[in-house]
Amino acid sequence: MGLWAAKRFPTADVIHYIIAIPISDASFNPARSTATAIVNGGWALEQLWMFWFAPIVGALVGARSAGSLAFVGLRTQIDKVVHSLNAARIKARMGWEV
């Protein structure tokens, strides 16, 4: 991720602090959000499930995507090795220098 990640994550934090907190009193802290929702009740408590559900689903989707991408990279490496082995076998059969 490198430099792009180093710029992206702090930018998201700054946007959160500048926009979300003053408008809706949003928080990064799950315990604070959960406690506030329980104390306030009503609509805050009704929306609390999304605060817990969305990050868990996002983590699962991200883990699945990362696993798929890693598999694609591994498969590419395996294909390269198989191709080079097949090329060496063909050259050996033809009597070419391997």
Side-chain angles (χ1 to χ4, degrees), residues 14-57:
V14 168
I15 290 171
H16 181 266
Y17 286 119
I18 292 174
I19 297 173
I21 291 175
I23 292 174
S24 65
D25 198 26
S27 82
F28 279 126
N29 185 346
R32 179 178 178 266
S33 297
T34 302
T36 304
I38 291 171
V39 170
N40 287 335
W43 65 270
L45 198 53
E46 291 171 5
Q47 296 178 11
L48 185 62
W49 69 273
M50 184 56 87
F51 185 83
W52 290 96
F53 178 74
I56 292 170
V57 170

Side-chain angles (χ1 to χ4, degrees), residues 59-72:
L60 293 174
V61 169
R64 178 71 176 165
S65 299
S68 298
L69 293 175
F71 178 74
V72 168

